Amino acid sequence: MSEIRAEEEAIVEEFALFDQPRDKLEYLLELGRDLPPLEEAAKTEANRVRGCQSNVWMVAEFDPATRRLTLRADSDALIVRGLIALLLRLYSGRTPEEILTTPPEVFARIGLGRLLTPGRQNGLWAMVERIRAIARAFAGAEVAAGSA
Amino acid sequence: MNELAAATAESLDVEAVRAQFPILARTVNGRPLLFLDSAASSQKPRRVVEELRRFYYEDYANIHRGVYELSQRASQLHDQARRAVQRFLGARDWREIVFVRSTTEAINLVAWSFLRPRLRPGDEILVTEMEHHANIVPWQIVAGERDARVVVVPVTDAGELDLDALRRMLGPRTRLLAVTWVSNVLGTVNPVAEIAALARARGVPVLVDAAQAAPHLPVDVAALGCDFLAFSAHKMYGPTGVGVLWARLEHLEAMPPWQGGGDMIDRVSFAGTTFADPPFRFEAGTPDIAGIVALREAVAFVEALGRARIAAYEAALVARLEARLGEIPGVRVLGRPARRASAVAFTVDGVHHQDLGTMLDLEGVCIRTGHHCAMPLHARFGLAGSARASVAVYNTREEIERFADILARTIALLRG
C-alpha cells in the first residue's frame, strides 16, 4: 500500500469515532486550530490558491536528494485549515509520482465527499488541484532532466 | 404611520403564506429548514410550480410560430404574462416589457444596445459603490470598448449613497446613471425617485437595478421617473431563467438589436434583414416560455398579498433581525441606513464567515457568506466578505429569534 493510502486508512479510523456531521466538522475545527500557521511573508498572491471563498496559501519545497515534496499551507478560515491539515498528512513528504497517481479517496470515505465538488466554496477541490499541479511541475522537471 | 404599518404587518397571516411553500416544511441536517437567503433566490409558492407543471402538461407548444390551437394558446399565455408584468410595474404600454434571462442580461442589453452606440471617448458612466457586479461589469466592458470611464458614487459609513457626491458627479460627459434600488448586501433602500429626478434634470438616462426591490417594495415606473428598470423572476417567487427589462418605449424603438435570431426579425434575406418592433426585436430565439407563463403566477402571488403589506411585514422582521444581531457580542452589522429591505450583512470578530455559514448549515440555517457579488462594496468597508441574512414574506418572527439564538451559540463554538 502506498504511503498516501496508508495515511488515508489512519484518517478513516480517526473519523470512525464520529457518526454525526457536526462531530466531524468539530473535529476539523480542532485540526484547524492545531495547524501550524504559515509565516506572513509566505502569504503572497503567487502562493494564493484561487477558487476558495476563504484565502488559502500553499508553499512547496522539493528535495532532489529524497525526491520528496514538502507542503505547507494556511487559510483564514478554520474548517479550511482542518481540511489543509488532512491534505498535508496525505501529500506532504511524498514523491510527485505518488501524489499524481493517488487522488484523494478519504474524503468520500469519511462522509465529506461532497466537499470535493468543483466550485464548492471551501476550495478543497482547488487545493487538491494545486497540489497536483505542483507535483506535475516537479515530476515533469525530473522527466525532462532525465531525458536530456 | 408606524401604527398603521404595524397594523398592516399584523394583518398578514404568515402561516397561510408558509403553507403555500412546500419546501419550508422540510428538514436540513435533521433540523427544520430556516431559510434566510432569499436575496440570493426566493423559494417558490405552489401556484408557480403548479402552473409550470400545468402548462407543460396541458398547453405547451412554441410561441409565435404555429397557427394551430396549442401554439396560439401558448402565445396567448405568454402575452398575458407580459401584460401582467406591465400592470405590476405601472408601465403604460406592453411593448415596454422585454423578457430576458435575468437582471444581468437586461443590464447587458442596455449596455450593448442603448449605451454603446452613443458612447464616445471620454464619456462617463455613473455607477455606485454598492452595486452588484452585474451592474458594474457590463458598463466596464462597453466603457473599455469606447475609451469611456466608469465613475463611482461613494457609499457613506452608514451604508447609504453619498447624494451630494452624486450631484457633483453628474457631469456634462455622463451618458448614463446605473443604480440599485436596494443593496443586495446592506439592504439599503436608495431614494431612486429622487436620484432619477436629479439625473433627468441633467438629461442623463437612469437604469434602476430592481432585482432586490421587486420582491419587497411597491414598484411604479411612472412614479420612479427612470428610463430602464430590471428585475429577475427567481428572486420574486418566480421560476429561474426569466428576467424583465422595462424601458421607455422611445428608447426601445431607437435601440438596435443586440442578439440576432428567430422571432426578432421582420424579413430576412441575404440582401438585408429588417427587424421586428419592440419588444420582439430584443427577444431572439425561443424564450423560457414556461418560466414566463409561470411568472404571471408569481406576480399574482405578490399582488394577492399586497406589496405595501409585504413591505410593512418584512420591515418589522428586518428591524428585529438587526436588533437581535446587535445584541450578540462580536457581531458587527454593516451600515445603518435609514431604511433597509430584506437583507442585513454582518461580520463576526475573530470568526471567518465561511466557518459560520458551514456550521449554521448543520443547524438547518441557510445564509449567504462571501462577497455576495459586491466586492467593491466590501472593499469600501475594508472586508473580503461577510455573512448575510435576508428575509422574505414567508419568514416568521419566531425564525428571527431562533436564528439569533443559533448564531450566538455557533459563534461561541467557533471561538472555542
Side-chain angles (χ1 to χ4, degrees), chain A residues 21-22 25-26 29 33 53-54 76-80 114 121-122, chain B residues 31 352-355 358-359 361-363 369-370 413-416:
Chain A
R22 157 168 296 278
L25 281 173
E26 287 189 12
L29 290 175
R33 288 194 178 97
Q53 196 179 86
S54 55
D76 45 13
L78 211 47
I79 293 169
V80 176
R114 67 179 184 141
Q121 305 281 21
N122 63 70
Chain B
R31 310 290 166 97
H352 195 280
H353 49 79
Q354 188 184 354
D355 291 327
T358 305
M359 296 311 287
D361 175 50
L362 289 174
E363 304 279 355
T369 57
L413 171 78
L414 282 167
R415 286 178 156 179

Side-chain angles (χ1 to χ4, degrees), chain B residues 81-114:
Chain B
R82 196 188 306 272
R83 285 164 203 272
V85 171
Q86 177 204 341
R87 284 192 305 276
F88 186 70
L89 298 181
R92 61 186 175 164
D93 196 306
W94 63 271
R95 291 172 296 174
E96 297 187 325
I97 306 300
V98 181
F99 284 125
V100 290
R101 281 187 301 141
S102 55
T103 303
T104 299
E105 191 175 56
I107 294 170
N108 276 278
L109 168 58
V110 175
W112 286 90
S113 174
F114 174 79

